[in-house]
Amino acid sequence: MEHTLRVFASIACAILLLQGVARAESFDVAQPASKSGQADPHQGADRLFGEIRTYLAATDTGAVSRPRDPASGVLAAASDPPASGSSARAPSYIDPGVCAGCHTQEAQNWAHTTHAKVFTLNPRNALEGQQCQACHGPASEHLRNPLNKTTIIRFTHNGGTPIAQQNAQCLTCHRGGQRIFWSGSAHEGRDVACSDCHNPQANFSARGLTAKRSINETCFQCHATQRAEFRRRSHMPLPEGQISCTDCHNPHGSTTRPLLKANSVNEICYGCHAEKRGPFLFDHAPVRDSCTNCHAPHGSNHEKLLVTAAPLLCQQCHIQPGHDALLMTRGNMAGSSFPDVRLLGRACANCHSQIHGSNSPAGARLQR
Amino acid sequence: MSPLRGARPGALILLLIGTPGAAYADSAVGISLGVGNELNPSGLIPGVLTDSRGLSAFISNSRSPSGYLYPKPFLLPELTQDKDAPDWWRSGWADAGVLYNASNTHAATFSEYGDWSSGVIGSFGMYAENRKTANYVSLSGSNIGRDDQSYSLSGGRFGVFRFNLGFVAAPHMLAANATAPWNGIGTSDLTLTPGTVPGAATAAQVRSALSQTLPGNLGFSRTTTGMALSYTPSDTWELFLNAANEWRDGNKPIGSAFSFPGRGAAELVQPVKYRTTDLSIGSRYKGEELQANVTYAGSFFRNDFAALTWDNPGLGTPAGSFAPPRGRIALAPNNDYHTIKADAAWILSDVQVAANASYAIMRQDDDLLPPAANSGRSPVDLANWNTIAALSRRTAKAGLDAVNGFVQFRWNADRDLALTLETRYRNEDNKTDYSAFNPLTGEYGYMGLDGALSRIYTPAIPGTDVPIRNIPFQSNELKITSKADYRAADHTRIALSITHDEIDRANREVLHSRDNSVETDINTTGYEWGTVRFSYSYADRDGSSYVTDPYIFARSSSLPGYVQRPPNGDAPYALNTFRKYDVAGRREHTAKLQSNFVLTEDSDFQLTGSYRRSDYDADYGLRALDTYDANVSYTDRISNALTLTAFYGFQFHWRTAASVNAARSASSDASAGGPNYPAANSWQERVRDTNHVFGINAEYRVGKFSGGLDYTYSQATSDFAYSFAGLGAISSGLTPLEAGFGFPDQQFAHHILEAKLTWTYSEQISLRWYYRLEHETLDDFHYAGLTNLVGNNIFLAAIPQDYTAHVIGFFTQYRM
């Protein structure tokens, strides 16, 4: 314990030292930052917006989809009021290239994403052809009033667009398929936004446009318990990068409460452990019911992901006359006065080795 | 022992000639391949730089709607136009280096899922796109030639189709210090060393054989080739096909015994030669109002070995008893799985309906083994039991069908109120019907443990209650949930749901269960300060009366003419107040909290936690569980050059169980305190698992230098305490002092420190340095003092090993 405390204390000191050093120095002069005393990015934005207004007044570029005069076919002037006479303008699509005029950085990041490839190289419909506006909606009003959050769909924190509307925008193209049970799912019901887990604006990860460096890290940003469990003594190879959360779960919704990709826990487990699928000549009741009766899939302090150590694990259910219900004690450990095979190593499974089921005609007791 | 190294070469050849390859991630179907490896878990381009300018020139630190900081995006190289084919644009990189494992550890857990051996290491990636046709192709490989290598070839036309072929190898090391007295490790036939007589070996002979065996590896490699194809003929249709072949090759331990007590158990090594073929094919329709999926999935498991046979040393065989010279154990049988699934969703203005129906079948029809492996008399003539003619059936004919149905009806009653009614149905029909009846002798039962234990029903001997058939476990479940979801404010939702779950089981202690629960959720998402999500639920399971012995039908005591043990009848099957927790009554409280706070524009703080208390309606058996945890995390973007993240998690789990060691009496009384379950034989045990996890991560970039520092510490203590009413609860001969009050604590500590430094020399060339320190200690009383030979029991002595490992790597990357 003392050793542990020393380790924590050292690390805490290291963090403080590192923070102090980092804040004392300016590591990167190329980028305006938000810490006090540094450049305010909005000053640049105001200057840019002024230029946009000048640009709008001088050109038609901002209103390619404005209504045309039915007789002449001439575009209505950008400054024309809407036909309805109301003070609100109907937003319309602008030339897709205009967005990058201001959003240079966003455009550069976005250009490497799958969305950009599809939208620019092979748009399958008119909406995809709108590029940025395919997701953010018609930008004409945004162009006129960039500081008004309601003039465009935003996908970021405090962006002003309700999460339901953000998600609906994504589902315009991504409805159905893997997301057919999104509505009413655990994530939808808790107002989790698509862009909590994905960011189509840039590549943060190798695939999936996830919001963190990998699927697993993305899930762990909310599911910290599971992150800790996967660091236990026995765990599936998720921190090692061999599997991901979405091998078992569909975060987009499923017919099960824990968002499993299959209809039952066991059908998920058999995906990698097909040798345990059977059915066997002699099944073991809790195994057939659910693997989670004995195993903790996210990690365990006990070997083989067991929820607790054998023989207690087995003795929670088995008390038949004979040898099952004897209390194993430290006096039964190897090197003690009465070492007992029911405690050592594999414990009960030293004899009942076919605990997942036996296909031997002599295997009713799961020993063959 | 057979070595673990070496991915299956045939698998790679099959990939190259176009055999099924890796599926990319599909969140609804199948298992993805090639996420990464232990050196590069996220599968990123090694040493890829991040763009310190971030996502936007207008917002220095973008956040997700719930308020989490997004990381800095990658600074990916621009594509280069091909001079000869100007429509094609391409990029590529190759990374090569040397990995040096500076430690001398051979601990299995260090290499459990990764290849850290010293040697050359290389990875590559290439990408090209045709900007005229929108075709693209990508090829990548990682850890070339190593046990955790992977390759991927993908391509297609943007928005129209895509394909992926892949190959992934993953080691699974189980032990590096196993020793066994048998020859033939890695095969299905283990033999004792020449000169040792099976069934009549001495402990000295076994020790001698062990002394001549070097510690070897236990484990297997998992190599998979797979393919995925997706075609989108229109905005509303998608067709997909996934196929994969997985091989598992190696060995793993397995226990065996010839009765208990007295005769020794033996830990064996079973060969692993598995092949699993997975296939899924389907279509998806994505209309505005109607969406539908139809999917077929099949999985076919094949094992090269039907059985493991071994020479039994015969230690501990009582004098005058039959000593089986051979043992035989059935290994995992071949099996087939098919499922067809249909999903549909209708979205109307205020009403949404989603539904699912699926039908799955599992079949297994392997040839059955004879009940015994030996000849002679034991005391029955084993000639009547060591042949398949002794079986009522030659093959397993095992089967299980599962039907699932799901309907969700959601009505948006108001702009802010949604009402949902959800029904889920699952039926499992177990079709396995096997009788242990020997047509040669006309007897029920079987010869157990290869002749060491008769489980043959002999009507003339009262009380010979033995298994005579399989037990087909199956169930039928109907779950109904009603939910009201109210949006109280723009960022606040409140939900209340009530669930009623009816489960009917066959051949279990509780035939009918009712599980009622109520849950409330409060979610405040995306406020300027952050997000809080909280839920609480209470669940109460009860049902029909608990039947202590529902398995009579599968034993000889159900046969006509069965005579119970005189004078008072058979011993009880189990204590009548003992409850199995998976079906017993249970009350459960669960609370969960997830919250994250925007501390400053550059920093995040997260607090999550959960609590669960389960009380089982049991005097004996598992009685209660308590689980709670709390986690905090802090991220600070200290500057555009440095991001720091730290987290700490505390987890606690507690369980308590009680039981009574049965006494051998002539009574049939099944009550606690009676002659079969005397109060003096009662005991209880409590397990307390405590975990601490701490991690810190720093990502930095200073000019041409970038890198990261990552440290994770995990510590666990499992504390076992027990008490017993009298000496009848513990091993005969043990004194209370020797028994003590608990096992030594299980202690686990694991440190991983990783440091990375990349020097970007030019746009094309970078150099990278990698260092990893990993340290693990584990104390587990199951293995404390364990040797190959404990009494008459033989162990592989694959004791978990502590280790300290240092790995250093130097890499060069060239970008095209």
Side-chain angles (χ1 to χ4, degrees):
Chain A
M1 189 63 190
E2 190 185 340
H3 171 72
T4 306
L5 288 171
R6 270 207 301 271
V7 170
F8 278 125
S10 305
I11 291 164
C13 291
I15 295 169
L16 293 171
L17 188 65
L18 198 56
Q19 282 187 321
V21 168
R23 283 182 169 134
E25 297 178 15
S26 176
F27 281 104
D28 193 335
V29 294
Q31 166 72 5
S34 58
K35 295 290 184 187
S36 60
Q38 295 179 327
D40 178 0
H42 296 292
Q43 287 180 3
D46 288 343
R47 189 176 64 249
L48 199 53
F49 297 151
E51 292 172 1
I52 292 169
R53 290 187 193 99
T54 308
Y55 165 82
L56 279 173
T59 72
D60 265 351
T61 312
V64 290
S65 57
R66 291 195 306 274
R68 291 172 185 270
D69 181 275
S72 65
V74 174
L75 282 169
S79 56
D80 284 352
S84 64
S86 71
S87 58
R89 294 171 188 271
S92 55
Y93 292 108
I94 63 172
D95 184 330
V98 171
C99 304
C102 301
H103 298 281
T104 315
Q105 181 64 21
E106 288 90 330
Q108 285 177 9
N109 288 324
W110 185 67
H112 295 281
T113 67
T114 304
H115 282 97
K117 305 291 183 188
V118 174
F119 292 1
T120 58
L121 298 182
N122 192 28
R124 300 294 303 275
N125 51 48
L127 183 64
E128 289 182 357
Q130 298 299 339
Q131 301 186 16
C132 306
Q133 300 165 94
C135 302
H136 292 280
S140 60
E141 290 307 300
H142 172 68
L143 202 59
R144 292 176 201 285
N145 190 358
L147 294 179
N148 184 341
K149 289 180 178 178
T150 65
T151 56
I152 202 162
I153 299 170
R154 297 166 190 248
F155 296 89
T156 52
H157 178 246
N158 213 18
T161 305
I163 285 170
Q165 189 184 346
Q166 293 177 37
N167 292 352
Q169 191 71 1
C170 301
L171 291 169
T172 305
C173 297
H174 294 286
R175 62 178 171 255
Q178 297 96 326
R179 291 155 292 276
I180 198 164
F181 296 114
W182 169 253
S183 178
S185 70
H187 283 156
E188 187 273 343
R190 290 173 170 83
D191 265 351
V192 175
C194 301
S195 48
D196 279 324
C197 305
H198 300 277
N199 190 325
Q201 196 66 49
N203 284 305
F204 297 137
S205 60
R207 65 183 183 192
L209 293 174
T210 54
K212 297 289 181 184
R213 298 297 185 215
S214 66
I215 292 170
N216 302 336
E217 285 186 39
T218 301
C219 299
F220 290 158
Q221 68 180 343
C222 292
H223 298 282
T225 303
Q226 284 70 29
R227 175 177 59 195
E229 288 174 336
F230 272 107
R231 288 294 176 186
R232 290 181 174 183
R233 165 190 174 183
S234 66
H235 60 264
M236 284 189 275
L238 188 137
E240 291 80 5
Q242 301 285 3
I243 63 170
S244 75
C245 305
T246 59
D247 285 332
C248 301
H249 299 278
N250 181 353
H252 304 117
S254 93
T255 58
T256 66
R257 185 178 163 82
L259 301 178
L260 298 176
K261 286 172 82 170
N263 283 310
S264 71
V265 168
N266 287 19
E267 285 180 61
I268 285 291
C269 301
Y270 299 149
C272 292
H273 305 282
E275 78 280 8
K276 296 183 173 63
R277 184 164 50 209
F280 297 94
L281 209 57
F282 296 102
D283 277 333
H284 188 193
V287 177
R288 182 53 64 198
D289 177 44
S290 172
C291 303
T292 57
N293 278 323
C294 300
H295 296 284
H298 298 131
S300 166
N301 286 358
H302 310 285
E303 63 179 355
K304 299 177 183 67
L305 298 172
L306 294 175
V307 294
T308 195
L312 184 66
L313 173 71
C314 309
Q315 290 177 316
Q316 291 175 156
C317 290
H318 291 285
I319 192 178
Q320 289 91 332
H323 60 273
D324 310 281
L326 192 73
L327 174 67
M328 289 287 109
T329 68
R330 64 191 310 149
N332 300 115
M333 291 167 56
S336 64
S337 45
F338 287 88
D340 195 307
V341 72
R342 291 168 292 184
L343 177 67
L344 309 181
R346 317 165 66 78
C348 304
N350 281 316
C351 302
H352 300 278
S353 53
Q354 304 288 52
I355 207 68
H356 297 109
S358 170
N359 215 46
S360 167
R365 294 288 180 252
L366 307 179
Q367 291 173 301
R368 286 291 188 271
Chain B
M1 303 282 168
S2 63
L4 184 66
R5 285 192 64 86
R8 194 181 183 93
L12 188 55
I13 294 166
L14 285 171
L15 167 72
L16 296 175
I17 62 173
T19 317
Y24 45 77
D26 185 321
S27 64
V29 178
I31 296 155
S32 63
L33 292 178
V35 176
N37 51 59
E38 200 165 5
L39 182 63
N40 182 9
S42 302
L44 305 170
I45 299 174
V48 64
L49 293 177
T50 53
D51 188 343
S52 59
R53 294 171 300 173
L55 280 171
S56 170
F58 301 103
I59 306 170
S60 60
N61 286 320
S62 295
R63 293 175 180 276
S64 70
S66 290
Y68 293 103
L69 280 167
Y70 286 123
K72 299 284 185 188
F74 292 130
L75 195 59
L76 296 172
E78 296 301 325
L79 303 185
T80 307
Q81 190 171 20
D82 191 283
K83 289 175 184 168
D84 299 325
D87 291 335
W88 283 94
W89 294 67
R90 55 184 165 73
S91 69
W93 58 272
D95 196 275
V98 177
L99 203 64
Y100 176 61
N101 186 340
S103 51
N104 57 2
T105 180
H106 297 289
T109 41
F110 176 56
S111 305
E112 186 176 14
Y113 297 125
D115 183 352
W116 291 109
S117 56
S118 298
V120 176
I121 187 164
S123 303
F124 65 91
M126 284 175 267
Y127 172 80
E129 67 184 28
N130 186 312
R131 293 190 174 172
K132 188 174 180 183
T133 64
N135 292 327
Y136 69 98
V137 63
S138 171
L139 177 67
S140 63
S142 186
N143 290 6
I144 301 166
R146 300 174 74 87
D147 284 353
D148 52 2
Q149 62 188 326
S150 63
Y151 304 90
S152 173
L153 171 66
S154 59
R157 187 176 184 207
F158 287 114
V160 182
F161 76 96
R162 60 182 176 182
F163 70 88
N164 181 259
L165 301 173
F167 170 90
V168 176
H172 190 166
M173 190 81 154
L174 301 169
N177 54 346
T179 48
W182 290 277
N183 294 324
I185 300 295
T187 73
S188 60
D189 190 11
L190 306 180
T191 55
L192 289 169
T193 51
T196 307
V197 180
T202 64
Q205 287 174 314
V206 173
R207 280 196 198 92
S208 172
L210 285 164
S211 68
Q212 295 166 34
T213 308
L214 292 173
N217 292 347
L218 291 179
F220 53 89
S221 61
R222 197 186 274 260
T223 54
T224 311
T225 58
M227 66 85 75
L229 179 63
S230 169
Y231 174 52
T232 311
S234 71
D235 286 350
T236 50
W237 280 98
E238 181 190 352
L239 308 173
F240 66 89
L241 168 68
N242 300 319
N245 246 324
E246 179 206 76
W247 290 266
R248 278 177 278 172
D249 194 348
N251 53 44
K252 58 182 180 180
I254 186 170
S256 71
F258 290 92
S259 188
F260 182 87
R263 298 176 194 239
E267 200 174 10
L268 311 171
V269 179
Q270 62 167 309
V272 173
K273 282 273 186 189
Y274 300 159
R275 188 181 79 249
T276 308
T277 304
D278 291 306
L279 174 72
S280 60
I281 184 169
S283 66
R284 291 162 176 159
Y285 176 74
K286 306 171 184 179
E288 276 189 46
E289 290 187 354
L290 173 66
Q291 295 128 34
N293 304 330
V294 179
T295 307
Y296 161 80
S299 177
F300 311 94
F301 171 80
R302 298 293 179 267
N303 188 353
D304 281 5
F305 298 107
L308 172 67
T309 308
W310 74 99
D311 282 350
N312 172 31
L315 302 183
T317 304
S321 299
F322 175 68
R326 302 280 280 165
R328 182 168 51 210
I329 203 162
L331 299 181
N334 299 338
N335 64 68
D336 295 344
Y337 168 77
H338 304 268
T339 183
I340 185 157
K341 186 165 80 166
D343 310 317
W346 292 269
I347 301 173
L348 305 173
S349 56
D350 292 327
V351 173
Q352 297 172 23
V353 181
N356 157 274
S358 73
Y359 181 62
I361 60 171
M362 302 177 206
R363 293 289 182 269
Q364 187 267 114
D365 197 23
D366 255 17
D367 291 341
L368 296 179
L369 301 168
N374 296 299
S375 306
R377 292 192 67 82
S378 71
V380 301
D381 185 358
L382 291 178
N384 288 325
W385 295 93
N386 65 6
T387 165
I388 54 173
L391 301 175
S392 64
R393 200 166 64 215
R394 302 295 171 87
T395 63
K397 294 191 190 313
L400 187 81
D401 290 3
V403 176
N404 291 279
F406 172 85
V407 178
Q408 183 193 68
F409 178 85
R410 179 169 160 136
W411 175 42
N412 298 316
D414 178 80
R415 180 177 162 272
D416 298 319
L417 177 66
L419 303 174
T420 303
L421 183 66
E422 192 177 285
T423 303
R424 186 173 188 268
Y425 172 79
R426 179 173 175 85
N427 175 266
E428 288 190 5
D429 180 12
N430 193 324
K431 297 182 175 303
T432 310
D433 184 7
Y434 174 76
S435 291
F437 177 77
N438 186 339
L440 294 179
T441 62
E443 293 172 309
Y444 279 98
Y446 59 92
M447 177 48 67
L449 304 178
D450 293 297
L453 181 67
S454 171
R455 308 297 291 172
I456 301 166
Y457 172 53
T458 310
I461 304 174
T464 50
D465 193 11
V466 298
I468 59 166
R469 58 156 297 137
N470 76 308
I471 304 172
F473 300 109
Q474 58 186 28
S475 62
N476 195 32
E477 181 177 9
L478 179 66
K479 190 174 188 175
I480 300 170
T481 301
S482 54
K483 181 177 179 182
D485 186 340
Y486 178 66
R487 183 171 292 283
D490 283 349
H491 296 281
T492 303
R493 282 172 85 164
I494 300 170
L496 178 70
S497 66
I498 298 171
T499 298
H500 178 71
D501 194 2
E502 296 263 349
I503 306 171
D504 289 306
R505 304 181 189 88
N507 312 317
R508 287 304 310 270
E509 288 77 3
V510 177
L511 295 176
H512 181 77
S513 288
R514 293 174 296 271
D515 201 347
N516 294 308
S517 64
V518 58
E519 177 173 342
T520 181
D521 286 73
I522 301 172
N523 301 287
T524 60
T525 309
Y527 278 97
E528 198 151 333
W529 46 265
T531 292
V532 175
R533 299 185 173 107
F534 175 78
S535 70
Y536 166 77
S537 69
Y538 173 72
D540 187 355
R541 183 173 70 195
D542 62 8
S544 57
S545 56
Y546 191 93
V547 179
T548 300
D549 181 11
Y551 310 118
I552 294 176
F553 77 99
R555 300 199 309 271
S556 52
S557 48
S558 65
L559 291 173
Y562 175 81
V563 179
Q564 291 205 7
R565 182 186 62 170
N568 301 317
D570 288 346
Y573 184 74
L575 173 63
N576 60 11
T577 47
F578 190 94
R579 297 290 178 264
K580 295 187 177 180
Y581 69 94
D582 62 329
V583 294
R586 184 260 293 125
R587 291 181 305 283
E588 190 168 84
H589 300 265
T590 307
K592 294 180 183 174
L593 170 72
Q594 286 184 347
S595 63
N596 59 283
F597 303 94
V598 180
L599 294 186
T600 68
E601 194 177 342
D602 307 291
S603 63
D604 276 349
F605 177 74
Q606 183 199 40
L607 171 66
T608 70
S610 66
Y611 172 76
R612 173 170 290 171
R613 168 80 190 194
S614 306
D615 284 299
Y616 292 90
D617 182 20
D619 294 332
Y620 296 96
L622 178 62
R623 300 180 67 187
L625 297 174
D626 241 344
T627 304
Y628 56 85
D629 68 272
N631 306 275
V632 290
S633 173
Y634 174 70
T635 300
D636 196 338
R637 190 154 292 156
I638 293 167
S639 73
N640 284 316
L642 178 64
T643 300
L644 191 73
T645 302
F647 67 88
Y648 167 74
F650 169 76
Q651 297 179 299
F652 180 81
H653 177 81
W654 170 93
R655 70 174 57 216
T656 180
S659 192
V660 183
N661 185 32
R664 296 184 188 278
S665 85
S667 169
S668 59
D669 185 353
S671 61
N676 283 306
Y677 297 100
N681 288 14
S682 65
W683 56 267
Q684 58 181 328
E685 187 163 344
R686 182 265 296 145
V687 185
R688 214 163 44 186
D689 293 330
T690 308
N691 288 70
H692 302 271
V693 182
F694 171 77
I696 184 165
N697 170 271
E699 285 184 13
Y700 58 89
R701 183 183 168 194
V702 184
K704 291 188 169 186
F705 292 92
S706 64
L709 190 69
D710 200 272
Y711 171 73
T712 307
Y713 170 61
S714 176
Q715 193 271 336
T717 302
S718 294
D719 157 25
F720 296 76
Y722 45 74
S723 61
F724 45 94
L727 293 177
I730 59 176
S731 296
S732 175
L734 268 182
T735 65
L737 189 63
E738 290 171 316
F741 302 102
F743 293 111
D745 287 354
Q746 275 185 196
Q747 296 275 6
F748 171 73
H750 189 209
H751 303 256
I752 301 177
L753 174 68
E754 272 191 322
K756 302 168 190 169
L757 177 65
T758 300
W759 176 34
T760 305
Y761 174 72
S762 69
E763 279 191 21
Q764 281 74 41
I765 296 172
S766 61
L767 302 174
R768 197 168 74 258
W769 171 80
Y770 173 84
Y771 170 71
R772 181 186 183 94
L773 164 65
E774 193 168 329
H775 174 72
E776 180 175 303
T777 58
L778 173 65
D779 296 321
D780 183 339
F781 62 81
H782 296 85
Y783 295 94
L786 189 67
T787 57
N788 283 113
L789 205 55
V790 179
N792 295 318
N793 306 296
I794 300 171
F795 295 94
L796 300 174
I799 300 166
Q801 297 168 287
D802 298 346
Y803 64 88
T804 302
H806 301 268
V807 179
I808 301 167
F810 293 97
F811 306 87
T812 304
Q813 189 172 108
Y814 178 71
R815 293 175 288 276
M816 291 160 266

